[in-house]
Amino acid sequence: MKPEETVDYNVKVCWHAIARMYNLQAAKFDITTSIGFVLLNIHPQEGTPATKIAPKMGLEARSLTRILKSMEEDGLIYKVGDAIDKRSVRIFLTEKGLDKKELARQTVRTFNQKVREQIPENELAIFFKVINQINGLVESKEVYK
C-alpha cells in the first residue's frame, strides 16, 4: 500500500496543510494556531475551567499548561482560583484576549466558508460521517486489541 492510499497519511497531510495555513494567518496577529484554538475554547464572559480546555482540544494537560503560561505572559488571559475548590482554576480572557479570539474566530469562519463554497454540502456530509466513523474506531481502542 502506497502512503497516499492510506487514511492516516491523507488525514495527516491535510491537517498539516491546514495548520500551516492557520499558522501563517495567526502570525499576522502575533499569536500561534495553538493559542488561537485555546482562545476559541474559553467562554468570553464566564471563563472556562482549565481542566476542561485540554480535552476539548485533544491536548495533554502538560502541553496546555505551557500554552496557558505563555498566554498569561502575553496578557491574553488571567487565572482565577475557585474560592471553594482551591485546586480548580478558571481561565478568563483579557480585552486583548477577546480581540485575538475574535480574529481567530474570523480566521476559522473564513476557511470554512471557502471550503463550503468549493465542496457541495452533500459531499461535506459524507466527509463528516466518514471522519466521525474513523474517529470512533480509533477512540474505541478496538484496532489493536
Side-chain angles (χ1 to χ4, degrees):
M1 185 178 282
K2 296 176 185 172
E4 51 277 352
E5 295 172 342
T6 65
V7 171
D8 49 334
Y9 174 85
N10 282 284
V11 169
K12 185 175 181 174
V13 167
C14 186
W15 173 247
H16 281 289
I18 292 168
R20 279 192 306 276
M21 174 191 68
Y22 278 155
N23 272 322
L24 287 171
Q25 195 64 19
K28 295 176 186 176
F29 308 127
D30 296 320
I31 61 172
T32 65
T33 298
S34 296
I35 289 173
F37 280 129
V38 172
L39 290 169
L40 291 170
N41 282 285
I42 299 173
H43 192 280
Q45 288 83 34
E46 299 170 15
T48 301
T51 55
K52 301 286 187 210
I53 299 170
K56 284 183 180 180
M57 297 179 59
L59 284 177
E60 294 293 324
R62 289 183 304 273
S63 300
L64 180 63
T65 300
R66 286 191 299 272
I67 295 168
L68 291 176
K69 185 176 188 294
S70 167
M71 292 173 72
E72 192 170 27
E73 289 169 357
D74 290 345
L76 298 171
I77 62 166
Y78 62 96
K79 300 174 185 174
V80 176
D82 190 297
I84 298 165
D85 183 356
K86 301 293 184 199
R87 300 167 299 167
S88 183
V89 175
R90 190 169 282 270
I91 308 298
F92 289 89
L93 298 172
T94 62
E95 282 301 316
K96 181 178 176 183
L98 287 165
D99 292 343
K100 300 290 183 177
K101 177 179 178 151
E102 181 55 26
L103 293 169
R105 193 180 72 75
Q106 288 299 331
T107 298
V108 171
R109 180 171 268 182
T110 297
F111 170 64
N112 279 273
Q113 285 172 341
K114 290 290 183 187
V115 167
R116 289 175 186 285
E117 288 170 11
Q118 298 291 316
I119 300 171
E121 221 31 69
N122 63 325
E123 290 182 29
L124 279 174
I126 293 167
F127 168 76
F128 286 124
K129 180 179 179 186
V130 170
I131 204 79
N132 283 313
Q133 288 173 324
I134 292 167
N135 194 47
L137 176 64
V138 171
E139 293 291 328
S140 75
K141 297 176 178 48
E142 295 289 318
V143 176
Y144 300 109
K145 54 179 178 166

